[in-house]
């Protein structure tokens, strides 16, 4: 995965292989280097878009399925109920940062 990881950027920051915890055809999950809470992660679409509605149907479905998959991971790791807060980051990538209540 190292060669592929070299191709991913979050804004101008290269995403290192060790930061990627989930990789799918249309979505990657990366560890937030400055998390607000334990389990705070970022889900990014592979194809940069300015607006969520610019994702095609396949990308949109992959994004929401990744959210479901990551919520299960976080509940399993932290043994807590997970709630999500969806944000659009002005880096032309959609992401979801997770937390729990």
């Amino acid at each position: 995965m190292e060669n592929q990881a070299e191709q991913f950027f979050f804004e101008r920051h290269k995403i290192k292989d060790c930061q990627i915890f989930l990789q799918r055809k249309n979505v990657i999950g990366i560890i937030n280097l400055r998390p607000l809470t334990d389990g705070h992660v970022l889900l990014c679409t592979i194809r940069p878009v300015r607006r969520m509605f610019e994702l095609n149907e396949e990308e949109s479905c992959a994004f929401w399925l990744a959210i479901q998959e990551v919520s299960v991971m976080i509940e399993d790791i932290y043994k807590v109920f997970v709630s999500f807060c969806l944000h659009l980051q002005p880096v032309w990538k959609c992401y979801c940062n997770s937390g729990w209540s």
Side-chain angles (χ1 to χ4, degrees), residues 21 29-43 67 70-71 73-75 77-80 82-85 95-100:
F21 70 91
I30 60 175
I31 297 169
N32 191 339
L33 296 180
R34 295 184 190 97
L36 299 175
T37 62
D38 291 339
H40 181 200
V41 297
L42 306 174
L43 295 180
I67 290 171
V70 170
S71 70
M73 284 182 196
I74 291 174
E75 283 189 4
I77 291 168
Y78 293 100
K79 307 297 185 218
V80 294
V82 176
S83 63
F84 283 93
C85 182
Y95 78 98
C96 177
N97 61 335
S98 63
W100 54 81

Side-chain angles (χ1 to χ4, degrees), residues 10 23 27-28 58 62 68 80 85-86 89 93:
F10 188 80
Q23 186 170 352
V27 179
I28 62 168
E58 181 182 4
Q68 288 179 323
V80 294
C85 182
L86 178 67
Q89 176 100 2
K93 294 203 179 208

Side-chain angles (χ1 to χ4, degrees), residues 5-15 28 44 93:
E6 292 177 6
Q7 300 173 11
F8 297 122
F9 289 84
F10 188 80
E11 289 188 331
R12 66 184 185 283
H13 306 286
K14 184 186 268 188
I15 299 171
I28 62 168
C44 304
K93 294 203 179 208

